[in-house]
Amino acid sequence: AQSVSQHNHHVILSEAASLELGCNYSYGGTVNLFWYVQYPGQHLQLLLKYFSGDPLVKGIKGFEAEFIKSKFSFNLRKPSVQWSDTAEYFCAVIASGGSYIPTFGRGTSLIVHP
Amino acid sequence: GAVVSQHPSWVICKSGTSVKIECRSLDFQATTMFWYRQFPKQSLMLMATSNEGSKATYEQGVEKDKFLINHASLTLSTLTVTSAHPEDSSFYICSARTGNTEAFFGQGTRLTVV
């Protein structure tokens, strides 16, 4: 079964700092990859997804992620964070050819100081 | 994206009573719905997967007699926590998808058992 590892559990940044959140997965086959965000008191929202094609994926609100197959990674980046980016970020994987059930990482809590 | 509505958003119940949580896909037909449980500062843990018209598939360690799942139509799934105890207090999230596409999430239900 696939698993997802998010290395940074808590990240604190100042506004305008750059962000990179790590996500690694364990599965040898084809995967679909997602990043979700959960703002305080709100539901999960999709930031971006990768199914195939260009490994550099651009999502909403200035976020992007790069799929590096050789490293089994799908790190999330944003060049300049804002206070409103304070939220929980979850990486998720769906392994193709299986049950297509999303598996989530533990999540990363991001706090951005104004 | 598609909208998934979860109701109620929060509920407080007495120990020993049962609570029903509804999950509706508002603008698409959900062939598959997932129920997750999220503990504070932790990831989403999959409880069960349900396909319309068939019995739910529960993850290991999840008591199917305690967490009753019904997926009676393509737009509605319910989770009933029977004989709730304080340790059942948690954040429950449903997710719905059609086919092998991305899953869309409800806003979650905060259950507190007193």
Side-chain angles (χ1 to χ4, degrees), chain A:
Chain A
Q2 66 270 25
S3 65
V4 180
S5 175
Q6 290 181 242
H7 319 295
N8 319 100
H9 297 155
H10 301 281
V11 174
I12 301 175
L13 295 173
S14 298
E15 276 195 316
S18 65
L19 170 72
E20 180 161 3
L21 302 182
C23 173
N24 286 87
Y25 65 92
S26 63
Y27 183 72
T30 303
V31 292
N32 298 328
L33 299 157
F34 307 82
W35 274 98
Y36 287 89
V37 60
Q38 187 176 28
Y39 298 104
Q42 296 188 29
H43 63 281
L44 282 165
Q45 301 173 41
L46 182 67
L47 268 181
L48 47 79
K49 61 186 177 184
Y50 171 80
F51 279 14
S52 64
D54 189 344
L56 183 61
V57 180
K58 293 191 182 300
I60 61 172
K61 304 185 180 185
F63 286 91
E64 66 177 30
E66 185 176 11
F67 171 49
I68 303 180
K69 189 175 181 179
S70 61
K71 294 184 178 181
F72 298 90
S73 70
F74 190 56
N75 292 354
L76 180 71
R77 299 192 293 250
K78 185 171 184 177
S80 176
V81 295
Q82 300 173 320
W83 173 78
S84 57
D85 294 323
T86 295
E88 292 275 340
Y89 293 82
F90 294 93
C91 180
V93 169
I94 292 179
S96 298
S99 58
Y100 290 88
I101 297 175
T103 299
F104 286 84
R106 176 177 172 176
T108 297
S109 173
L110 171 66
I111 297 175
V112 180
H113 287 299

